[in-house]
Amino acid sequence: MKLPIYVYGEPVLRKKAEDITASYPDLKQLIENMFETLTNADGVGLAAPQIGLSIRLVVIDLSSLADEDPKYKDFKKAYINGHILESSEETCSMGEGCLSIPGLHENVVRPERVHIKYVDENFEEKDEWVDGFLARVVQHEFGHLEGELYTDKISPLRKQLISRKLKSIAHGKYSCTYKTKFNRHHL
Ligand code: NI
């Protein structure tokens, strides 16, 4: 089942998300629904706050990038209770977008590699360094779990230049091909 994606301005996107336990209700179904929602929106990553749940659950699907990098063939992974433990000193700049901020793309400087811990769908503990494009997606998605958006991380000048655009998105002025959730009463 496809779920509506919460858009910039929704308070849940600014909340710090909580860890969950293996007894979280219908977790397998939820993960399946998040993958379906992500694929439908042509995205590479989706975090639970983006579907209105303040829990530490992220799905990442890099299979669409298999042509450019064969190691991402069949890369579909759920990250539960994910946390970033440390980051490399080396940084790089890359263009980013977000399904919760339709129509916007900006360059963001982030660490090249990150050391993460999480549990997989079987609640097996994982501890690993990730790099390349995956490191970028992991940082963007794990940021959602802290209530962060990539637009928080762009240069002050760019921030100023897009502030009106962000405001109009928060007021419901955007268009996209997927179903969104937008509550016009809270602003
Ligand atoms: Ni995002």
Side-chain angles (χ1 to χ4, degrees):
M1 188 178 70
K2 291 190 275 286
L3 308 164
I5 294 177
Y6 285 52
V7 167
Y8 186 88
E10 287 293 317
V12 67
L13 294 173
R14 290 308 195 179
K15 274 175 73 178
K16 190 175 158 71
E18 303 283 340
D19 281 345
I20 57 170
T21 64
S23 60
Y24 190 85
D26 300 322
L27 184 58
K28 283 236 146 58
Q29 185 63 51
L30 174 61
I31 291 170
E32 205 175 291
N33 290 344
M34 283 178 69
F35 273 120
E36 192 184 334
T37 304
L38 178 63
T39 304
N40 177 254
D42 283 325
V44 289
L46 185 68
Q50 294 182 276
I51 50 140
L53 294 175
S54 196
I55 57 171
R56 298 190 84 87
L57 168 61
V58 159
V59 298
I60 294 180
D61 181 350
L62 301 184
S63 56
S64 63
L65 293 138
D67 285 349
E68 292 144 60
D69 197 332
K71 76 166 173 275
Y72 295 138
K73 188 176 174 283
D74 304 323
F75 189 109
K76 276 181 83 166
K77 245 171 118 166
Y79 296 81
I80 299 164
N81 299 345
H83 294 268
I84 293 175
L85 301 175
E86 53 183 321
S87 307
S88 67
E89 274 175 33
E90 303 84 5
T91 58
C92 59
S93 178
M94 230 184 253
E96 290 187 30
C98 181
L99 295 176
S100 293
I101 313 177
L104 209 69
H105 292 271
E106 293 291 327
N107 284 324
V108 187
V109 176
R110 295 187 191 265
E112 265 179 34
R113 287 169 290 114
V114 282
H115 180 195
I116 57 171
K117 68 162 188 177
Y118 62 96
V119 295
D120 67 11
E121 286 176 70
N122 303 312
F123 272 76
E124 257 173 61
E125 285 184 29
K126 306 279 177 179
D127 184 310
E128 58 197 41
W129 278 92
V130 293
D131 59 14
F133 189 68
L134 176 59
R136 178 56 58 144
V137 179
V138 160
Q139 289 177 81
H140 178 115
E141 300 309 332
F142 283 30
H144 278 298
L145 307 179
E146 307 300 332
E148 287 170 16
L149 298 168
Y150 79 90
T151 46
D152 303 340
K153 298 191 167 292
I154 62 178
S155 71
L157 176 65
R158 288 301 306 167
K159 229 182 251 181
Q160 208 185 329
L161 287 170
I162 66 161
S163 65
R164 279 181 61 179
K165 174 100 185 160
L166 283 176
K167 243 180 228 148
S168 62
I169 291 173
H171 283 88
K173 292 188 196 105
Y174 59 86
S175 70
C176 55
T177 56
Y178 45 90
K179 198 162 55 153
T180 55
K181 158 104 179 157
F182 161 73
N183 180 356
R184 56 174 47 75
H185 301 297
H186 68 79
L187 283 170

